[in-house]
Amino acid sequence: HNGQSMMDLWMLQGDSHNPLECATLGHFEFFGLSPKPAKESQISITYRYTHNGIVEVEARDLSTDNILSHRLSGDKYSLQDVLNGNIPAHIAVIMDCSGSMYGEALDAAKVSTNRFIEENIRSNRSIAIFTSPGGTKPVAGPHNDPRILSKALNELVAIGSTDIAKSILIARRNLKEKGTIFIILSDGIVDDPSAVERACNKVRKQGGRIFCIGVGPNVNRAFLQKICASKEDYADAYDPLSISHALNNIITQVD
């Protein structure tokens, strides 16, 4: 996907063209891909036996000639889960509740996010809600109970400044699983733009993906587009219908 900086690799052994009929030798996570638009990265994979008969794997980013660092994955899902689309996933919704979002902008974001939650909760997909400004924990989640998430959303009020960087940090620490989706709903008027950019870069290095939805009539579109990996990961929205459309487009991309 756009801006991808890590990848999974399943190393199999067997004669069948069906991967499920082969033995799994290892599930690895590779880091340090040079971020590019979707489908443009070229990776060379090398398998080799050591003199002790142990199979090793190496991945090289052909655009930089760098050998990627890697580790054994700690994830608990199987290759069958991958092929069936049953990989567990967390979605972090970061809601800008600063004073500049007061009124119709925040109300529209709450209505649309409620609808999004009701339509997209699954047994293997949980959603957590974080706010800016906020505390040191999510206001709800991660849950796959829409009632808990809806209650937390309905209680949000617009007040204070916009410390999106802190909200991203809290989300990243609370949702440590690789590949978390971060959806930021904001007008882009933030306290410390540089800190937000640094926080987003850390998310991507850990395999997360950031989407931004610019909410309201006076959006700092240039900034929100900047913190996404590409312009395709940003959407303008002005009312519940357009916000819902943007949220559904995000789910379509990551499913």
Side-chain angles (χ1 to χ4, degrees), residues 139-180:
V139 295
H143 284 292
N144 49 25
D145 186 341
R147 295 169 299 176
I148 294 173
L149 297 165
S150 179
K151 182 177 184 296
L153 269 176
N154 293 334
E155 293 174 352
L156 297 180
V157 295
I159 185 172
S161 58
T162 316
D163 193 356
I164 293 286
K166 182 179 179 182
S167 300
I168 295 171
L169 173 64
I170 294 167
R172 188 167 58 85
R173 287 178 175 174
N174 278 270
L175 305 178
K176 296 179 181 179
E177 284 79 0
K178 171 184 63 61
T180 300

Side-chain angles (χ1 to χ4, degrees), residues 78-100:
S78 67
L79 188 58
Q80 178 77 65
D81 292 324
V82 175
L83 297 177
N84 291 341
N86 292 327
I87 301 175
H90 282 323
I91 299 174
V93 176
I94 299 176
M95 188 78 70
D96 183 349
C97 292
S98 61
S100 63

Side-chain angles (χ1 to χ4, degrees), residues 81-138:
D81 292 324
V82 175
L83 297 177
N84 291 341
N86 292 327
I87 301 175
H90 282 323
I91 299 174
V93 176
I94 299 176
M95 188 78 70
D96 183 349
C97 292
S98 61
S100 63
M101 289 282 289
Y102 179 80
E104 292 182 5
L106 182 58
D107 290 343
K110 288 161 63 175
V111 168
S112 304
T113 304
N114 259 319
R115 188 179 303 154
F116 170 76
I117 289 169
E118 291 172 359
E119 294 175 352
N120 291 285
I121 284 288
R122 297 179 186 170
S123 60
N124 67 326
R125 176 188 290 162
S126 60
I127 297 175
I129 300 170
F130 301 83
T131 63
S132 174
T136 58
K137 295 181 179 180

Side-chain angles (χ1 to χ4, degrees), residues 47-65:
Y47 301 102
R48 56 176 167 259
Y49 282 100
T50 68
H51 64 281
N52 293 323
I54 297 172
V55 182
E56 294 182 336
V57 60
E58 177 183 282
R60 184 185 299 270
D61 185 340
L62 296 183
S63 66
T64 62
D65 201 38

